[in-house]
Amino acid sequence: MVSQKTNGGDAGIGRSIGQARGEDVRKSFVDHLNAALKPKCINTFKDDEKLEKGKFISPEIVRAIEESRIALIIFSKNYANSTWCLDELTKIMECKNVKGQIVVPVFYDVDPSTVRRQKSIFGEAFSKHEACFQEDKVQKWRAALEEAANICGWDLPNTANGDTRTRSMLQIMEFTL
């Protein structure tokens, strides 16, 4: 999630990046994104702490989401495997609907329709979630995913050229700022 704080001063950008093991975008694409945002005086927050199953998202992440003006959601192939990411997404969409937070989805090496319809790897993740969580929680996650995936965003294939992806992200940021 990219977020721009509303309390004046520096623009604070935070992001909710979804991946089960933290490897599919956190240490590659996101590092390029953070490096590109830093010279623009856009601060980022990270959810790099060890995220344990069954635990709630930290109050710091909730506060960062709530104080954000813009949320950049980076959907990756493993996004739906992470209940933390799904909880963060639910909070982001709540802020969009209640506070008017701007939400910009980025589909990183995943088709937007896969996210929207929760098919393929997303469907497999939800089959597992349905066996472990209450139906109302899973339905909130599904609704948040569908709503977010219906927002016009950017579709970025996983290419070897990190500079191209970074330039795309800067275009996204300039568009949203």
Side-chain angles (χ1 to χ4, degrees), residues 8 11 13 22 37 43 46 63 69 85 96-97 103 110 120 131 169 177:
I13 300 288
L37 294 175
N43 301 316
K46 290 184 164 189
R63 186 171 34 262
R69 187 171 65 88
C85 290
K96 173 196 169 288
N97 295 326
V103 175
V110 65
S120 184
M169 289 311 307
L177 298 176

Side-chain angles (χ1 to χ4, degrees), residues 94-132:
E94 175 188 314
C95 289
K96 173 196 169 288
N97 295 326
V98 173
K99 297 180 173 187
Q101 185 178 75
I102 297 167
V103 175
V104 180
V106 175
F107 303 93
Y108 181 82
D109 201 27
V110 65
D111 189 280
S113 66
T114 298
V115 178
R116 184 179 309 110
R117 295 183 185 123
Q118 293 135 44
K119 300 294 181 193
S120 184
I121 194 164
F122 276 66
E124 294 167 16
F126 271 93
S127 292
K128 293 174 186 172
H129 296 326
E130 288 168 344
C132 299

Side-chain angles (χ1 to χ4, degrees), residues 5 10-11 14 18 21 31 37 46 52-53 61 78 87 96 101 110 113 118 126 130 135 143-144 155-156 161:
K5 291 187 179 179
D10 291 341
R21 293 175 191 86
D31 284 345
L37 294 175
K46 290 184 164 189
E52 298 177 36
K53 291 185 180 194
I61 292 175
N78 290 324
D87 283 340
K96 173 196 169 288
Q101 185 178 75
V110 65
S113 66
Q118 293 135 44
F126 271 93
E130 288 168 344
E135 184 179 346
D155 190 0
L156 299 179
N161 188 344

Side-chain angles (χ1 to χ4, degrees), residues 151-166:
I151 298 170
C152 185
W154 275 264
D155 190 0
L156 299 179
N158 183 7
T159 64
N161 188 344
D163 290 337
T164 300
R165 291 190 309 263
T166 301

Side-chain angles (χ1 to χ4, degrees), residues 34-52:
N34 286 338
L37 294 175
K38 194 170 192 172
K40 300 238 180 227
C41 297
I42 299 172
N43 301 316
T44 60
F45 72 84
K46 290 184 164 189
D47 55 0
D48 282 345
E49 63 190 74
K50 175 123 175 89
L51 306 177
E52 298 177 36

